[in-house]
Amino acid sequence: MKVWAVANQKGGVGKTTSSLALAGLLADAGQRVLVVDLDPHGSMTSYFGYDPDKLERSGFDLFLHSGQVPQGLARELLVRTSHGRIMLLPASTALATLERQSPAKSGLGLVMSKALAQLWNDFDHVLIDSPPLLGVLMVNALAASQQLIVPVQTEFLAVKGLERMVNTLTMINRSRRQALPYMIVPTLFDRRSHASLSTLKLLRGRYPEHIWPAYIPVDTRLHEASRAGLVPSQFDPGSRGVIAYRSLLKTLLGRQAGAQPT
């Protein structure tokens, strides 16, 4: 099972869209996919028609056992989505209360790793949608993952968020046995916008080894897919956004294969 986290310490950069677009393409290719919503706002959970304010059980339940995960609990919390090959571990707004606790308290930083260990043979890929702030939930996402995807909106304020994210990753890597590889993905790119063009140039110059060479364009079809509750490739497989995400997935899978020991 491969686990990818999608994170940035700035909101509105396309984390949920990126998570679901990649998940949909993997599922379309026959992979068994789990998407994990670790954002208390529950955007991914709402995407599939579940209400984060009303769910009786959610990923929050994983954190209620002093850092341990009772056997079978992770599987019990999963719900179906509009795609037959994608399951969801939903979020509830109660997740926000965890951010007042220390990531080190009772081993809470490794809860997601322990939960996914119970599901290791059930899925081929996991994508974790993280909250836009450093805390116990983001620490869980980064600790559990083998690849980090950092969507960055192509506007100047987003570059500051990226700097914070890279600093956070440097800190997290000190406690990992192996550094977490990451790929910066320019999103919401508008070739007619001077800000988009300038920011893309800046990102390429500042992070040449980690940035994906292409970009995800502004595409209203991605928003329409969200309103329909369908992953983008189900809604419109030929849209500009889906074509771009298909190229991104090819790059990610290529790097993943290249990183595996021979």
Side-chain angles (χ1 to χ4, degrees), residues 211-228:
I211 191 167
W212 180 46
Y215 54 80
I216 306 298
V218 171
D219 186 355
T220 58
R221 300 297 280 170
L222 296 175
H223 296 293
E224 292 167 6
S226 174
R227 286 198 295 270

Side-chain angles (χ1 to χ4, degrees), residues 30-44:
Q31 299 289 294
R32 300 168 300 167
V33 182
L34 172 65
V35 289
V36 178
D37 192 352
L38 281 186
D39 191 338
H41 290 106
S43 296
M44 178 181 280

